[in-house]
Amino acid sequence: MSLGPMPQHLVSIGDLSAEGIVEVLEVAESFAEVERRAMKKVPTLKGKVVATVFFEESTRTRLSFETAAKRLSADVLSLSVASSSVKKGESLRDTVQTIEAMGIDLLIMRHGSSGAPLQASRWTEHAQVVNAGDGWHEHPSQGLLDCFTVRQAWAEQRSMAAAGTGATLFEGKQVLIVGDLAHSRVARSEVLAYTALGAEVTLAAPRTLLPANLDHWPVQVAEDFEEALGRADVVSVLRLQAERGSGECVPNLREFTSTFGLTEERMDRLKPGALVTHPGPMVRGVEISSRVADDPRCLVTTQVHNGVAVRMAILYLLLAGPRLEAAAIGQFAGAAA
Amino acid sequence: MNAPFGAFEHPVVVAGGQVLTERGLERLDLVVHQGIVVELGASVDHPAGATVLDASGALVGPSFVDLHTHLREPGREQAETIETGTRAAALGGYGAVVAMPNTEPTMDTAAVVHMVLERGRNAPCEVAAAGAITVGRLGAQLAPMAELAALGVELFTDDGTGVQDGGVARRAMDYCRGLGVTYAEHCEDLAIAHGGCVHEGAWSALLGLPGQPAAAEEAMVARDLLLAATTGARLHLLHLSTAGSVELVRQAKARGVAVTAEVAPHHLSLTDASLKGYDPCFKVNPPLRPAEHLEALLDGLNDGTIDAVATDHAPHTPELKDLPFDQAPPGMLGLETAASITYEQLVAGRGATIERFFEVMATQPAKIARLDGTGARPFGHSVHGQRVAVGTTANLVVFDPEVRWTLEVDQLASKATNSPFSGARLVGKVRHCLLRGEPVVTDARSTR
């Protein structure tokens, strides 16, 4: 398999073609293979310098990207806003250009403002930019790892290897995304990724938590949540983004839980083999009940685990470039093993 | 006929243009002396020592009047000053601009208004002032409007924000009516807008930016139209941007409400699809809207529902436009591109007449700002917006509707560079501009 060309920056799932998304999933499978070995590190990105620049707090995404970069032998710099000159009034543009001036090859950026990583990508001369979540806009690596996780689970249900299945397992599948869609960057990335792979996406939320205009979204809105649950192959549960003002969009949490929470009763409506994902952090008892969170059908810890392999694939594909053959990963992996 | 205050003494000939007179467009030459058009004819004798300006292939009419200019002085001189802003205005063909009161400090006292008018006195474009409706533009206590009206202030507005409290708006309109001045509103119901920094629609949903619905503007338009009818005050609606607003004004005018309205060139030419790249130079308030609104605004401007084009020229320093989109302040430059954009959209695009072009750019705004000779003129403002005739004040623009040019923001006279048309190919440009008979712009260059 030869690798297709990758975009310079990964700001949106829309930067990738359907083939590009599949490529990330396939390469991630190879890296998942590496992860199962005793020696988890490969020298693929030796000499490359990657910086995580987080203007908003995060635990899992940052850790996951940094782990991925280290497993690829890249040097990792980590800028936390609290200790940076941003607090002293430095502009985003200056921060980005200062970081690039240190010889960074790739900048992994999270920002509370939608579009900030795209702006940053216009301000760098050579450094590539990966969006690690921007405002309400997108969280592409999360969307990709969610697709990776469900593809693996579906392959497992069929007792086959996920590697090499491309987008075939997504065809005709029903994805139901429920919760705070208006303020969720994960929702936008999931919608783009799942639909690009051939799945059908349905949204379910109180009207106040849906984007006001869905004209250009390739989705349906569930008229009846309970009925939509019965048709779903995957239920993606999103957290109420209280810090982004979603609290005022529902009368109270009890009513939100009773109308759109994934409760045990609602789990009973799922068809056999249906899966539940959650990008975390979960608020047990609100959008998802504690029992459901611990149910084997709920893949939340698998998602976190897979995040590293998927982010390795993203970094590898962006940095090692389209000229490398997939076989080369095996060679590097072999060399390390 | 007396020479206007500050009139240019030397004679000027404007030759070869299509001149807008009471009879329409005519191929005429004209002689200007002591700030007055003294001769008009198919060919005129050139007085000794006259400056001759070539107007061949161009339109000659009253210089433009901008109802909505943020000159930023006092308070934000890093972005614009009265000097740079009026030079930009002259280059854009403007003979007068109304300075908006959202300065720092606010133009809510005679001292600040006096300072602005005094500093604008010898500028290449006359500076009129709008006063604040409420103290500090905070929407609570009425500003001393009579004191400001005594300085010649004719328009009052809290622009930048609308007066949120309907009770305050009603009292302010009553008070304005008593003074015979105009209440001008930035229509935006902040509760409905809810912090939205772009139009709420398909693009806000795709980009994950908080949007404000068209209803945030329309709700206040509707409220103010009702209050204007209740109080009998003269109401001017600033920078209308939605189809619904146009329809509300159309209905109110049919009922005889004393309302006028303006639209900004960017709302006639750009849609919210421009937001795709999150470039804060496209962030403006009211926000860019989808094409159906743009079409309704052009219809409204063409059929007279909307009276005037006003730039909402809003300079910001580059560092503020390098902020993330949601944190950057709204506003765009407009003075040096307004005529080109308006001509292209309204005349070339919509088939409006050249007479209509000068009406919306000059005659109507002069009337609304009472710079048409009807207002009190303690600061010596001259008469604007008149069609060319012997005896009229020589506030003239020579506009070449054919010339094609590319906008380079670093060539602008404005201090700031936040134009949404950076790098754009534009058609039509101001060639010369005369203020009280003085050629302040010749061959698209400032003479000052």
Side-chain angles (χ1 to χ4, degrees), chain B residues 66-155:
Chain B
D66 191 21
L67 288 166
H68 201 137
T69 309
H70 296 280
L71 289 174
R72 300 299 190 217
E73 186 176 349
R76 282 155 71 192
E77 291 86 351
Q78 323 89 293
E80 194 81 286
T81 62
I82 291 169
E83 188 189 340
T84 58
T86 53
R87 197 179 303 134
L91 284 162
Y94 287 92
V97 297
V98 178
M100 285 289 113
N102 61 335
T103 47
E104 293 161 19
T106 307
M107 287 156 67
D108 59 1
T109 61
V112 181
V113 170
H114 193 278
M115 188 218 88
V116 170
L117 292 172
E118 196 55 53
R119 289 201 178 169
R121 220 188 241 277
N122 296 311
C125 164
E126 292 183 6
V127 177
I133 294 170
T134 63
V135 173
R137 299 170 42 251
L138 295 172
Q141 191 191 341
L142 296 187
M145 289 192 254
E147 225 173 274
L148 307 191
L151 294 173
V153 174
E154 295 283 354
L155 282 174

Side-chain angles (χ1 to χ4, degrees), chain A residues 93-113:
Chain A
R93 185 185 194 131
D94 288 335
T95 305
V96 165
Q97 288 175 343
T98 303
I99 293 167
E100 179 172 35
M102 292 172 192
I104 302 294
D105 297 294
L106 185 139
L107 209 142
I108 298 161
M109 181 171 160
R110 167 166 290 193
H111 203 288
S113 296

Side-chain angles (χ1 to χ4, degrees), chain A residues 162-320:
Chain A
T165 59
T168 52
L169 294 176
F170 291 90
E171 274 160 35
K173 286 288 197 306
Q174 295 290 325
V175 179
L176 177 63
I177 310 180
V178 58
D180 184 356
L181 288 135
H183 306 103
S184 170
R185 50 193 173 215
V186 175
R188 283 171 180 75
S189 290
E190 281 191 346
V191 166
L192 289 171
Y194 277 121
T195 54
L197 293 171
E200 286 171 29
V201 175
T202 304
L203 310 180
R207 189 58 247 191
T208 46
L209 291 176
L210 284 174
N213 184 309
L214 293 168
D215 286 355
H216 298 292
W217 292 45
V219 298
Q220 293 187 311
V221 176
E223 282 170 27
D224 180 344
F225 177 43
E226 312 287 342
E227 183 268 337
L229 278 169
R231 286 189 291 113
D233 296 294
V234 189
V235 183
S236 167
V237 184
L238 302 175
R239 184 172 62 89
L240 262 188
Q241 308 264 317
E243 75 278 20
R244 298 183 210 284
S246 58
E248 65 193 30
C249 295
V250 292
N252 57 50
L253 293 181
R254 193 185 60 82
E255 178 154 312
F256 175 72
T257 306
S258 72
T259 50
F260 288 96
L262 194 55
T263 56
E264 286 151 65
E265 299 74 48
R266 291 206 172 100
M267 279 300 270
D268 292 340
R269 294 184 165 272
L270 296 184
K271 60 187 187 190
L275 307 168
V276 174
T277 64
H278 192 302
M282 290 186 288
V283 186
R284 288 169 184 254
V286 179
E287 77 272 6
I288 191 164
S289 83
S290 214
R291 279 267 185 82
V292 173
D294 298 329
D295 188 291
R297 288 171 287 178
C298 179
L299 303 174
V300 62
T301 47
T302 319
Q303 288 172 272
V304 176
H305 175 78
N306 289 339
V308 175
V310 170
R311 290 180 174 113
M312 285 170 82
I314 291 169
L315 296 178
Y316 167 74
L317 286 168
L318 287 182
L319 279 170

Side-chain angles (χ1 to χ4, degrees), chain B residues 311-436:
Chain B
T311 63
D312 196 5
H313 179 81
H316 288 293
T317 55
E319 59 269 24
L320 290 177
K321 287 292 184 182
D322 277 348
L323 287 168
F325 190 95
D326 57 354
Q327 292 169 25
M332 301 173 164
L333 298 185
L335 287 169
E336 294 175 72
T337 49
S340 313
I341 302 295
T342 303
Y343 192 89
E344 195 173 352
Q345 294 299 101
L346 188 66
V347 183
R350 271 298 152 119
T353 61
I354 287 162
E355 281 91 338
R356 184 68 190 149
F357 171 70
F358 278 102
E359 262 181 64
V360 302
M361 292 293 292
T363 312
Q364 291 301 329
K367 217 167 168 178
I368 293 163
R370 299 189 72 187
L371 289 163
D372 58 349
T374 59
R377 287 180 280 157
F379 278 77
H381 292 109
S382 60
V383 178
H384 292 268
Q386 293 170 300
R387 291 193 180 203
V388 185
V390 170
T392 56
T393 305
N395 291 324
L396 299 171
V397 65
V398 178
F399 179 76
D400 179 348
E402 303 292 338
V403 63
R404 286 166 191 278
W405 57 295
T406 302
L407 182 77
E408 309 284 356
V409 288
D410 49 4
Q411 306 281 307
L412 291 171
S414 256
K415 254 191 174 180
T417 56
N418 57 303
S419 170
F421 301 108
S422 174
R425 291 283 293 160
L426 301 175
V427 185
K429 194 172 191 184
V430 171
R431 192 187 291 173
H432 315 299
C433 192
L434 278 74
L435 183 69
R436 300 183 299 262

